[in-house]
Amino acid sequence: MTARSDRRDVPVREGRQRKPIHLGAHFPGVNNTTVWQDRAAGSQIDFASFEYLARVAEDARFDFFFLAEGLRLREHLGRIHDLDVVGRPDTFTVLAALAAVTDRLGLAGTINTTFNEPFEVARQFATLDHLSCGRAAWNMVTSSDAFTGENFRRGGFLAHADRYRRAAEFVTVAGRFWDAWDPGPDGTGVPTRVVHRGEQFTVDGYPELPRSPQGHPVLLQAGDSADGREFAATHADAVFTRHGTLDAGREFYADVKRRVAAHGRNPEHVKVFPAAAFVIGDTEADAQERARHIRRRQVGPQTAINFLEQVWGRDLSGYDPDGPVPAEDPTFDAVTQGRARQGDPREIAARYRARAEADGLTIRELVIEMTARQQFVGTPETVADEIDRYVQADACDGFILVPHLTPTGLDDFASRVVPILQERGAFRSEYTGRTLRDHLGLPQVASTHAARRTG
Ligand SMILES: Cc1cc2nc3c(=O)[nH]c(=O)nc-3n(C[C@H](O)[C@H](O)[C@H](O)COP(=O)(O)O)c2cc1C
């Protein structure tokens, strides 16, 4: 699916101030969006790759650098899942190293609320916020699968709904540690005690660090259910979403902002960031051709079979990726560990078959279609136009861009699209603030102690 497929006029409210565009740079690694066989592809582990992408993003004045996280390799039919690429270094170590080689770029890390402890995560983010002078962001995820838990002492651990209850209590307790510092009238400061007895956590202790530059790191949320959206509306400063097309984006955006307002918060203080890929060419036709080529490399013959095996739950290695979709029914028992099928496998398979029959698609072509994500494809001008249009039409506040190459995948966007957005005044040409909260136009979190003293 490309941005162009839903091109049509969307009314942008008259007389309203232009919304600034915000941009995050997703580090491409450990998935099959990244094209690994490209001659320009580099390591997803070497620090040089992280540093390269972060420097490109900072030179282009991006809001933040973004790391996703997975805490266990997926398995399928007793094998490590071939769609995974091994090699995901620890988030805090990478972001701390990046803090030393960047100056203004926000540093966002995905850290799980299901398997960690609030004291520890609060301390890690406070440390990152101190080391980076106020650039830390936490993407709070719950993870949906049971098998990740088997890497930890608790086994599977927690049903879906309980994960959000734990997440809410987790970030509440973390927030109490960030706030538990009384600067005192003369600014010397003392830690204050945190006592919490709740359903998920019993904690009694002190923070080990003074309040960090941002007070609280910027809090992102990624998760789409009603529970997930409520969690975001209550606790997050931004939401990371897959609703990237114009219509789905506008619906999601309105829903999130409505929920935020219902919690008595200012809707402008929760930013919405869909993930988006992009392909830039010298002409529209060139860009479309490049996009087709990239999609075929992302979904090679083996990847197509592996993906379909996840849907069918059975061994399909005997099938020709350039042949028709299997006539046999899927099984119910061999679910891929790490990405549970959503709903009845027979219905999902029927949907896949119907699509293949309607468009005369082979297995590989079908997987290319069914796994398509939001992407902007075009010349630098049309990509800049579309991104600006989506933001002004309230489909989002910006995008987390997902390049398809490590580490050079952002180069074209930074050198060709960003200058157009800057010329139009749609995107900053210089950082005007120091912290990530400044970049995103988010308020500082007031210290509860300062508030108590003045209030
Ligand atoms: C856009 C997006 C990105 C996500 N990224 C991660 C991630 O990097 N690591 C992770 O463990 N879970 C990730 N998740 C999973 C969510 O944290 C959540 O556990 C999952 O979506 C199930 O919750 P839901 O039913 O509310 O969607 C992501 C979810 C979304 C929608």
Side-chain angles (χ1 to χ4, degrees):
M1 192 182 317
T2 71
R4 300 181 54 71
S5 64
D6 56 15
R7 176 186 276 279
R8 62 189 163 72
D9 288 335
V10 169
V12 176
R13 273 178 278 154
E14 291 294 322
R16 194 177 72 157
Q17 263 198 326
R18 268 186 86 77
K19 282 162 65 188
I21 296 171
H22 297 287
L23 293 174
H26 188 287
F27 181 78
V30 201
N31 55 46
N32 74 303
T33 305
T34 311
V35 175
W36 297 101
Q37 70 273 41
D38 194 295
R39 257 178 301 163
S43 162
Q44 77 280 21
I45 303 170
D46 286 355
F47 180 63
S49 293
F50 294 100
E51 182 178 8
Y52 184 96
L53 191 89
R55 284 191 191 279
V56 171
E58 184 164 75
D59 286 348
R61 308 294 182 250
F62 270 48
D63 293 77
F64 58 92
F65 173 97
F66 182 90
L67 284 180
E69 185 192 63
L71 291 173
R72 183 168 174 161
L73 289 182
R74 287 176 288 165
E75 289 164 36
H76 183 61
L77 302 174
R79 304 185 304 262
I80 289 176
H81 191 355
D82 283 356
L83 300 187
D84 270 354
V85 176
V86 177
R88 198 196 290 267
D90 169 67
T91 298
F92 285 111
T93 314
V94 172
L95 294 182
L98 287 178
V101 296
T102 53
D103 185 37
R104 299 293 176 97
L105 186 68
L107 301 167
T110 300
I111 294 290
N112 204 291
T113 55
T114 302
F115 307 111
N116 293 301
E117 294 292 323
F119 168 79
E120 182 69 352
V121 171
R123 180 168 174 263
Q124 287 164 320
F125 274 109
T127 303
L128 183 64
D129 208 44
H130 278 292
L131 294 183
S132 65
C133 302
R135 296 185 282 137
W138 173 14
N139 181 32
M140 308 176 288
V141 294
T142 52
S143 273
S144 41
D145 52 68
F147 89 122
T148 304
E150 290 161 20
N151 262 355
F152 297 85
R153 67 193 153 100
R154 292 191 182 88
F157 195 55
L158 284 184
H160 182 280
D162 291 339
R163 292 189 181 203
Y164 280 112
R165 290 160 73 103
R166 183 179 162 95
E169 199 175 318
F170 193 116
V171 67
T172 302
V173 177
R176 296 209 33 214
F177 277 107
W178 293 322
D179 290 340
W181 183 262
D182 187 342
D186 59 357
T188 8
V190 281
T192 61
R193 191 168 187 149
V194 174
V195 180
H196 172 88
R197 281 181 221 298
E199 183 189 72
Q200 300 287 334
F201 304 104
T202 298
V203 170
D204 183 347
Y206 292 93
E208 293 192 317
L209 288 164
R211 193 170 176 79
S212 75
Q214 293 188 109
H216 293 191
V218 171
L219 298 175
L220 285 95
Q221 182 270 356
D224 200 31
S225 59
D227 284 351
R229 293 180 191 201
E230 280 299 296
F231 173 55
T234 318
H235 296 286
D237 300 302
V239 182
F240 181 31
T241 172
R242 297 199 177 95
H243 297 290
T245 60
L246 194 63
D247 286 343
R250 296 183 84 208
E251 206 174 294
F252 181 77
Y253 189 92
D255 183 60
V256 167
K257 302 270 172 167
R258 195 167 45 239
R259 288 175 193 266
V260 171
H263 284 276
R265 301 177 63 203
N266 182 343
E268 292 192 9
H269 293 165
V270 179
K271 307 293 180 193
V272 174
F273 288 98
F278 54 89
V279 180
I280 297 157
D282 293 334
T283 62
E284 296 296 331
D286 172 41
Q288 294 294 344
E289 180 48 40
R290 289 191 66 198
R292 266 192 298 277
H293 179 67
I294 290 165
R295 286 297 288 141
R296 284 186 69 76
R297 295 177 95 182
Q298 287 168 330
V299 185
Q302 192 56 49
T303 300
I305 294 292
N306 287 346
F307 186 86
L308 215 64
E309 283 184 341
Q310 282 186 63
V311 179
W312 257 252
R314 59 168 79 225
D315 180 2
L316 302 177
S317 54
Y319 281 84
D320 175 4
D322 296 319
V325 173
E328 61 187 309
D329 278 332
T331 70
F332 276 88
D333 33 287
V335 174
T336 301
Q337 287 182 302
R339 189 183 288 171
R341 290 176 288 185
Q342 307 273 319
D344 181 341
R346 269 187 304 231
E347 277 170 25
I348 302 172
R351 215 170 52 232
Y352 271 66
R353 276 201 200 107
R355 178 68 189 267
E357 273 163 31
D359 296 344
L361 303 176
T362 64
I363 288 178
R364 187 174 175 197
E365 289 165 344
L366 177 68
V367 173
I368 287 174
E369 287 302 315
M370 300 303 272
T371 59
R373 303 231 180 98
Q374 168 62 7
Q375 58 175 346
F376 293 104
V377 179
T379 63
E381 289 76 17
T382 52
V383 170
D385 280 350
E386 289 294 89
I387 286 180
D388 194 19
R389 192 168 70 96
Y390 276 42
V391 171
Q392 304 314 326
D394 285 344
C396 58
D397 294 299
F399 288 94
I400 294 184
L401 295 176
V402 185
H404 68 267
L405 259 186
T406 303
T408 56
L410 201 61
D411 291 8
D412 270 2
F413 189 94
S415 66
R416 301 181 71 185
V417 180
V418 167
I420 297 172
L421 294 171
Q422 288 172 331
E423 262 165 43
R424 292 181 185 173
F427 186 65
R428 73 174 71 77
S429 298
E430 285 306 330
Y431 291 110
T432 52
R434 277 228 70 93
T435 69
L436 179 55
R437 286 188 179 274
D438 294 337
H439 305 340
L440 293 171
L442 296 172
Q444 295 300 316
V445 180
S447 155
T448 43
H449 292 284
R452 218 172 288 142
R453 190 163 292 114
T454 54

